[in-house]
Amino acid sequence: MYVTLTLIALNVLVFFLTILSEGELIYSLGFSPARFFSEPWTIITSMFVHAGFTHLFVNMLTLLFFGIPLEKMIGKTRFLLLYFLSGIFGNILYFILYYGSDIVGVGASGAIFGVLGAFAVIRPSDYIIMFPIFIPIPLSLALILWIALNVFGLLFQIGNIGYAAHLGGLFVGVML
């Protein structure tokens, strides 16, 4: 529980620092495939930067609801390892698929999708209410939907969303 709450607090703190920096931190800490070799630390720092309040809110709400119970199930150390490996691999997949791109990726989504993937594998029969489906569905079905929606988004480039990071994180969460 404490690791999850600490991660949420760090994300909120960096969000407010981003506002105070008038957005400069987004480009300083965000992950860009074109700058990966000159700024390798951004593969981690980008996981704490968000592009707006809604981005932060959705990620942190998801982390709160899934992170706390998962942390209790697998322990603090394994949870932290899962979180960071999922986020890092999400950024690595973004790097591979968009090699040379200078588009900055930010957010904890890769790490959070790793949490979701691990939770779905550990508790596949638990139910979730997922937007826009307002009926309870088992996590095993939600996992299939998350994969399908992100593959679809990746193939058709819908919106300014890091589908590659989501899928990379989800893959690590399921595997771990």
Side-chain angles (χ1 to χ4, degrees):
M1 175 166 107
Y2 296 112
V3 169
T4 301
L5 294 176
T6 300
L7 288 169
I8 291 170
L10 286 171
N11 276 278
V12 170
L13 174 65
V14 172
F15 179 73
F16 284 114
L17 292 173
T18 300
I19 291 171
L20 292 174
S21 77
E22 299 178 358
E24 287 298 316
L25 278 180
I26 289 176
Y27 298 101
S28 299
L29 301 178
F31 179 71
S32 165
R35 297 189 323 246
F36 173 62
F37 294 110
S38 62
E39 300 172 0
W41 59 86
T42 60
I43 203 163
I44 294 172
T45 58
S46 62
M47 295 166 42
F48 294 94
V49 181
H50 289 81
F53 178 76
T54 303
H55 187 208
L56 174 75
F57 181 76
V58 170
N59 276 345
M60 295 306 104
L61 188 64
T62 305
L63 182 56
L64 181 70
F65 286 138
F66 288 92
I68 289 174
L70 183 63
E71 182 183 339
K72 288 179 181 177
M73 284 186 254
I74 67 174
K76 293 175 179 138
T77 303
R78 289 172 59 190
F79 178 80
L80 199 56
L81 186 63
L82 167 79
Y83 185 88
F84 277 101
L85 287 177
S86 297
I88 290 167
F89 190 77
N91 281 334
I92 289 171
L93 188 57
Y94 175 61
F95 171 77
I96 291 168
L97 295 179
Y98 297 96
Y99 182 79
S101 171
D102 200 30
I103 297 172
V104 175
V106 295
S109 301
I112 290 168
F113 267 88
V115 169
L116 292 172
F119 199 98
V121 167
I122 292 170
R123 306 288 297 267
S125 300
D126 282 6
Y127 282 80
I128 181 177
I129 296 175
M130 209 171 103
F131 179 82
I133 306 166
F134 293 107
I135 57 170
I137 61 172
L139 277 169
S140 55
L141 178 58
L143 179 61
I144 292 167
L145 288 173
W146 290 326
I147 293 168
L149 290 170
N150 280 282
V151 167
F152 184 82
L154 184 65
L155 291 175
F156 296 100
Q157 294 300 301
I158 299 169
N160 190 18
I161 298 172
Y163 298 108
H166 295 177
L167 288 167
L170 194 60
F171 174 78
V172 170
V174 167
M175 291 297 111
L176 289 178

